[in-house]
Amino acid sequence: MSLDVRPERGRVSRPAAVTLLHWVFVGFAVLTVGSLLGGSDAVVLRVAALVGYPVAALLSVVAALRGPERGRRITIVLHLVLALAQFVFSIPAPVALLGIPLSLTILGVSRPRFPRMSPRTRKIWLILHVGFSVGWLGVALTMTVLAIVGSAAESHALRHGAYEVLHVVDLAAAIPSMFLAIITGLVLSLGTKWGLVRHWWVLVKFAISVSIPLVAGTVESTLADELALRTVDPDAAPGATGVALTACLAAFTVALWGATILSVLKPWPRTRWGRSADARERSARRDAVRPSASAGSRS
């Protein structure tokens, strides 16, 4: 089936949009590498990002020059990897978090298709996803409690200890559980009938899952680091910063509960992309039946 690349009046064609997004990502990668050169913390992750972004930029240039159709496989594999890897790259450089929605946008415009999982494989990934998601919710609730304790405690040892433990839990438990829950959810959505953009509940749940790391990397981690340093002084009080951190973590917990409810209830109708995909699948099934029916009538 040929691809109609003629844009409607006032709209950019999909191939042109893919090419433009490739060049936008190349510019973003160059800027991010520049920001990574000025730091000295998280050396291993910083080096990984300093290697990863130039390679990604080079592959983006190759995909852009080959065109949206010929470079489609490179685009899909590259940005599937980057959508996840940039969570790690954001530890030494929070600006890398902005690359996640950019990679997801490029993936969405490229319209990736994946083979359906077998029932056994689906069950394995579902068990992993449920386990990691429950762990993420538990970590968010634990961090909320620690933030409340740190903000309300009168003892200096308890106050500073709560923020120190919160910082450790954030790095050792929150980031891995968040990362693994999103990976397993992405694999499940792309490898099953639900898809990533076919159903509103899946799309909203994925948006929640991606927005939390973005806010955590830019707001919550900054507040937590500031409070861990400030409360070293026995006379220092968390003040408004402590309240802001508590509100931020409580919002994460509520959002994750919302995602859990969406997984169970599966509300709302299909998206327009889901309806279009269903129509294409029905048309393909009809086209597959017609030749066999014609052959049977001739015999």
Side-chain angles (χ1 to χ4, degrees):
M1 183 173 59
S2 62
L3 175 66
D4 186 3
V5 298
R6 294 172 297 178
E8 297 178 12
R9 183 172 297 177
R11 295 183 62 184
V12 179
S13 67
R14 184 177 66 83
V18 174
T19 302
L20 176 62
L21 286 169
H22 277 309
W23 292 114
V24 170
F25 179 81
V26 170
F28 171 77
V30 171
L31 292 174
T32 305
V33 167
S35 70
L36 284 161
L37 292 173
S40 59
D41 59 323
V43 175
V44 174
L45 298 180
R46 189 174 293 273
V47 170
L50 284 170
V51 173
Y53 274 115
V55 171
L58 178 61
L59 290 173
S60 292
V61 170
V62 171
L65 294 178
R66 294 189 68 180
E69 295 307 313
R70 292 180 61 200
R72 187 166 176 266
R73 180 169 296 181
I74 295 174
T75 300
I76 292 170
V77 174
L78 172 63
H79 288 283
L80 270 176
V81 173
L82 283 174
L84 305 172
Q86 288 178 111
F87 283 118
V88 179
F89 294 166
S90 69
I91 295 174
V95 69
L97 289 168
L98 299 176
I100 297 172
L102 178 56
S103 288
L104 293 174
T105 301
I106 295 171
L107 275 175
V109 176
S110 300
R111 298 178 183 175
R113 296 183 181 88
F114 298 88
R116 294 284 174 86
M117 293 180 182
S118 66
R120 171 178 285 185
T121 303
R122 176 187 172 276
K123 287 179 182 177
I124 293 171
W125 281 100
L126 182 60
I127 290 169
L128 291 173
H129 179 60
V130 170
F132 291 133
S133 299
V134 170
W136 187 8
L137 176 57
V139 169
L141 182 58
T142 300
M143 292 175 67
T144 303
V145 172
L146 287 170
I148 293 171
V149 171
S151 183
E154 296 182 1
S155 163
H156 165 255
L158 183 58
R159 179 169 58 247
H160 179 60
Y163 289 124
E164 283 290 312
V165 172
L166 189 151
H167 180 67
V168 172
V169 171
D170 193 9
L171 293 176
I175 293 175
S177 59
M178 179 191 310
F179 183 72
L180 292 168
I182 293 174
I183 288 177
T184 52
L186 190 62
V187 170
L188 268 177
S189 63
L190 295 174
T192 63
K193 66 178 183 179
W194 299 110
L196 188 59
V197 297
R198 289 189 175 195
H199 298 79
W200 279 113
W201 72 269
V202 177
L203 192 56
V204 171
K205 183 183 172 185
F206 188 69
I208 290 171
S209 300
V210 173
S211 63
I212 290 177
L214 294 177
V215 177
T218 55
V219 178
E220 178 262 321
S221 62
T222 302
L223 295 174
D225 291 346
E226 179 184 342
L227 286 165
L229 291 173
R230 181 192 300 181
T231 53
V232 171
D233 181 359
D235 296 325
T241 306
V243 175
L245 178 62
T246 302
C248 184
L249 290 168
F252 291 169
T253 303
V254 171
L256 290 171
W257 268 113
T260 302
I261 292 169
L262 289 176
S263 297
V264 175
L265 298 183
K266 300 178 175 56
W268 309 321
R270 291 174 183 256
T271 64
R272 67 182 182 86
W273 302 287
R275 293 193 296 270
S276 298
D278 289 345
R280 288 194 299 270
E281 289 175 359
R282 287 194 297 269
S283 177
R285 285 196 294 269
R286 286 196 298 268
D287 291 343
V289 168
R290 283 169 187 163
S292 59
S294 300
S297 62
R298 286 194 298 270
S299 61

